[in-house]
């Protein structure tokens, strides 16, 4: 029987300490900043990477809003990334990023990546989550990081 970590490629990348549920953000920059703070706290990146994620949206627009209510905050791999990792911020009050179709955003997933290969399996799972409204509703309702991670695993057991 595979371990929880083997069944869920997010497990090594998204520790409970990198999850903040039912947060408040003043705007999209604050939402990304919170996702970046969690990446820093988990040892995945430095604060410079958080600034790079915000600068990417300022430069290229809200392309990170990849599904209704869901933003994948990231920047190019750089020396500010210490290891591949993720963070999760769910917002009680969604914020607007300026995306035509997918605003407002309720969940910001922060991604710090050392390379392209390390996080592909995790991104496939995230893409499946972000495009499944039923699962997203369940994840948004999670009250603890452990519950959120368990809900992610349940979807992979099918």
């Amino acid at each position: 029987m595979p371990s929880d970590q083997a069944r869920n490629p997010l497990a090594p990348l998204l520790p409970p300490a990198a999850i903040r549920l039912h947060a408040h953000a003043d705007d999209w920059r604050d939402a990304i900043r919170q996702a970046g703070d969690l990446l820093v706290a988990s040892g995945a990146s430095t604060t410079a990477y958080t600034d790079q994620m915000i600068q990417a949206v300022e430069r290229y627009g809200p392309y990170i809003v990849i599904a209704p209510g869901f933003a994948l905050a990231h920047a190019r791999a750089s020396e500010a990334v210490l290891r591949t990792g993720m963070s999760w911020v769910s917002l009680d009050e969604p914020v607007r990023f300026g995306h035509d179709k997918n605003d407002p955003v309720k969940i910001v997933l922060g991604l710090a990546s050392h390379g392209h290969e390390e996080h592909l399996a995790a991104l496939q799972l995230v893409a499946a989550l972000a495009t499944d409204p039923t699962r997203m509703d369940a994840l948004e309702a999670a009250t603890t990081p452990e519950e959120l991670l368990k809900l992610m695993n349940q979807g992979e057991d099918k």
Side-chain angles (χ1 to χ4, degrees):
M1 172 181 260
S3 68
D4 285 346
Q5 194 171 45
R7 287 184 295 156
N8 181 359
L10 289 178
L13 303 176
L14 183 61
I19 297 171
R20 182 174 296 155
L21 303 173
H22 306 288
H24 169 81
D26 292 332
D27 56 25
W28 68 263
R29 286 180 180 84
D30 187 26
I32 291 176
R33 175 97 29 221
Q34 290 185 44
D37 288 348
L38 293 169
L39 290 170
V40 171
S42 68
S45 67
T46 68
T47 57
Y49 187 73
T50 303
D51 294 338
Q52 293 167 6
M53 291 191 299
I54 292 171
Q55 290 165 359
V57 175
E58 290 172 343
R59 174 176 284 171
Y60 302 112
Y63 73 99
I64 67 168
V65 185
I66 61 172
F70 187 89
L72 177 61
H74 63 283
R76 291 179 180 216
S78 72
E79 65 280 349
V81 175
L82 305 176
R83 65 171 179 78
T84 298
M86 294 181 165
S87 63
W88 178 283
V89 176
S90 68
L91 302 170
D92 274 341
E93 298 171 28
V95 296
R96 299 193 72 74
F97 276 67
H99 194 278
D100 291 342
K101 296 179 182 174
N102 295 330
D103 263 346
V105 169
K106 296 184 276 185
I107 294 174
V108 177
L109 181 79
L111 171 65
S113 179
H114 242 216
H116 297 293
E117 300 300 323
E118 290 181 294
H119 65 275
L120 284 180
L123 283 180
Q124 289 173 338
L125 175 58
V126 169
L129 292 172
T131 56
D132 183 338
T134 302
R135 290 183 74 191
M136 288 303 291
D137 287 346
L139 295 172
E140 289 172 29
T143 57
T144 67
E146 291 77 14
E147 180 184 3
L148 179 89
L149 292 169
K150 184 177 179 180
L151 289 167
M152 288 178 170
N153 276 336
Q154 287 174 346
E156 294 309 300
D157 292 340
K158 294 178 182 176

